[in-house]
Amino acid sequence: MFSVRRRNPPHESCFQCGGEIRRTFLFVASMDVLIQNEPHRSSLSMNYSLPFAAGAALALTFSVSLAESRIPDHPADPLLRPASGSLKAGYSTHYEFRGLIPAGCNQTAPVSLDWRSDLNEHYSFILALKEELFPGRPAIDLDDETVVDLGFQRKLGKDAYAAFSLRANDGGLAGLASERLFGNSSTTYEAALVLRRDLDFLPGFYVQGSCAYSFYGITGWWFDMCTGSDSRLTENLYMGFKFGAVLSSSYWPSGGNGWQALYFRVTASYRLFGDVFVEPFAGLHWLGRGGHGLNRTYGETLVKGNRWVTGVSLVYSF
């Protein structure tokens, strides 16, 4: 969800598992940090390795959301930057919540801001704001979703990063579940931890894991493990892909937890001019056993699998 001084394309914001920085997890408030996975704008983000991916992701089980990944890009310059990030507005054919696609046609117009301020060579302050707007009448009774992530990023050596954040979420699928399944308000709060490792032996590849705990509205855990790659193809064109799995524990009512979804996403980022990019994407989501259990608990089809999601965003990187 954040960007680089070299003005490489902005992220797919995680500060989701997701997603997309390149846009991330509060210790449920966002252990879903936005490493969500668009081409990294820093030259450092070209040093990653893959075999460590499955092991690191599963062993750490520190991962949640989103496709949404929320750890901002690490600086491209040796100098500290008081402010960097991206502003994004776009369109998506389907609303997504941690790899889950609600039933019916729920088109969205997401608007987001990702911000990072370097405090010193090791620590950075991170902020992610997102508004998910439903331009028509959603197929299920979803309210517009507002997400606020606030936390810190820590550099762990040359190729590893960690982020801890708190997240407030109002509306969306989490808000609907909090009201319908638990009789609470539509607002939930989480704390999240995200770990990311660039793979040395496979340049451009990374592995990421996030773990989030929701402590208000709904209580329970989310885990998101993913691996992917970001690369620069030409002077103005960047490509990235991400493959991940999302699991939950004690979040949904009994029978609705466990493996929630698998997802795969490809994103292109093309520089239109200056620091403005256009980012089309396409992704495929598969519903897991826990997702099917959630439908049985809800009493009707709340989420569906084997769904394509496509969209495009206009991004300003600073």
Side-chain angles (χ1 to χ4, degrees), residues 73-253:
D73 283 4
H74 30 95
D77 310 339
L79 301 178
L80 301 179
R81 302 186 64 193
S84 61
S86 65
L87 181 63
K88 178 181 298 188
Y91 166 82
S92 177
T93 55
H94 290 284
Y95 163 72
E96 306 170 56
F97 175 76
R98 290 180 168 152
L100 297 174
I101 307 295
C105 182
N106 303 291
Q107 302 175 37
T108 68
V111 179
S112 63
L113 168 67
D114 295 300
W115 178 285
R116 184 189 65 232
S117 294
D118 296 330
L119 304 178
N120 54 44
E121 61 181 359
H122 297 297
Y123 289 94
S124 298
F125 168 78
I126 49 180
L127 170 67
L129 306 175
K130 182 180 180 182
E131 183 72 17
E132 196 93 37
L133 304 172
F134 294 96
R137 183 176 178 81
I140 59 176
D141 191 18
L142 292 172
D143 294 327
D144 292 346
E145 183 179 60
T146 302
V147 179
V148 179
D149 276 321
L150 186 66
F152 291 90
Q153 175 184 313
R154 172 71 158 90
K155 184 176 180 180
L156 305 173
K158 179 182 177 182
D159 301 313
Y161 303 83
F164 176 80
S165 63
L166 296 176
R167 168 189 288 180
N169 187 114
D170 183 72
L173 186 59
L176 176 68
S178 181
E179 291 181 320
R180 300 289 180 82
L181 298 179
F182 299 97
N184 299 320
S185 72
S186 64
T187 301
T188 61
Y189 294 97
E190 306 176 350
L193 175 66
V194 179
L195 299 178
R196 178 185 180 112
R197 166 84 181 177
D198 296 345
L199 304 179
D200 302 324
F201 54 91
L202 285 176
F205 283 81
Y206 65 87
V207 58
Q208 176 181 310
S210 62
C211 172
Y213 179 72
S214 180
F215 55 85
Y216 180 87
I218 303 178
T219 58
W221 295 87
W222 281 96
F223 304 94
D224 187 338
M225 294 79 70
C226 68
T227 184
S229 174
D230 295 311
S231 58
R232 181 173 183 172
L233 302 184
T234 69
E235 181 179 356
N236 295 313
L237 178 63
Y238 304 78
M239 291 291 295
F241 78 85
K242 180 173 72 169
F243 176 76
V246 183
L247 301 91
S248 69
S249 176
S250 68
Y251 186 88
W252 304 116

Side-chain angles (χ1 to χ4, degrees), residues 287-316:
L287 191 63
R289 183 175 180 180
H292 288 292
L294 175 59
N295 286 333
R296 290 191 294 271
T297 300
Y298 189 68
E300 60 182 272
T301 302
L302 180 62
V303 293
K304 285 190 174 182
N306 304 329
R307 284 292 186 91
W308 283 98
V309 179
T310 59
V312 63
S313 295
L314 188 64
V315 186
Y316 171 66

